[in-house]
Amino acid sequence: MSTRVTLTATEGPFEGREFEFSGRTLCTIGRSRDCDLCLTDDGADLTISRRHCLLEVAPPVVRLHDLGSRNGTFVNGEAVGRRPRGTRRSDVPPADTSPRTLQEGDCIRLGGTVFLISIDEREDGEPEECHEGKGTRKSPSDEHRAVCC
């Protein structure tokens, strides 16, 4: 069985873009260009931390970890974590926040960006649908590129 996780930006500067992950993956999300999914454009959203959260894909389980962000990470409107006001990132140990297991249809908010999560499990050998021209994806070594079959 293979699992494909897709984050579709529904609000914010990346609205309409899709970011796809398959197989076992750790993906950092934030403003830093060092992140696997870098959420910057010409006008950076400063409510998103440089290293905001971590997406852990271990098929079929998908977990979201806040990385001590200043403004928090939210799943379906509920805070997953944030560092306490008045503290520095170095004051908060990384294990201070509990991960949230994500489900199909969950909404993730980081600053002004909202993602809808899709978790597509299929039997090996089952054909994939074509998503030509319906978005972009980014891997740590690639720039954004259209998802095409």
Side-chain angles (χ1 to χ4, degrees):
M1 182 172 286
S2 63
T3 301
R4 181 177 58 204
V5 175
T6 306
L7 299 180
T8 303
T10 59
E11 293 180 31
F14 294 93
E15 186 174 346
R17 287 188 175 173
E18 291 181 345
F19 302 92
E20 183 180 295
F21 307 92
S22 59
R24 193 171 189 88
T25 305
L26 291 175
C27 175
T28 54
I29 304 173
R31 286 190 347 254
S32 172
R33 299 229 182 255
D34 293 337
C35 287
D36 300 312
L37 180 51
C38 179
L39 297 179
T40 61
D41 60 358
D42 293 337
D45 181 352
L46 298 180
T47 61
I48 297 175
S49 296
R50 287 176 291 213
R51 292 179 49 84
H52 198 99
C53 63
L54 174 75
L55 187 67
E56 174 189 2
V57 180
V61 177
V62 181
R63 290 187 185 97
L64 182 73
H65 305 257
D66 185 87
L67 295 176
S69 65
R70 177 179 294 264
N71 295 306
T73 305
F74 298 84
V75 176
N76 301 326
E78 185 178 328
V80 172
R82 74 167 61 154
R83 75 175 178 247
R85 298 278 182 217
T87 60
R88 296 176 193 243
R89 181 175 295 276
S90 60
D91 296 338
V92 179
D96 215 27
T97 60
S98 298
R100 171 66 60 89
T101 300
L102 300 175
Q103 306 295 323
E104 171 75 24
D106 281 348
C107 287
I108 303 166
R109 182 171 64 79
L110 302 84
T113 299
V114 176
F115 292 105
L116 176 65
I117 187 160
S118 172
I119 303 171
D120 183 21
E121 293 183 72
R122 66 182 55 175
E123 296 295 326
D124 289 335
E126 193 176 324
E128 291 191 28
E129 296 177 27
C130 183
H131 297 282
E132 186 169 339
K134 287 194 174 181
T136 59
R137 71 175 164 195
K138 182 176 187 264
S139 69
S141 61
D142 297 334
E143 287 303 311
H144 291 105
R145 64 177 190 254
V147 174
C148 298
C149 298

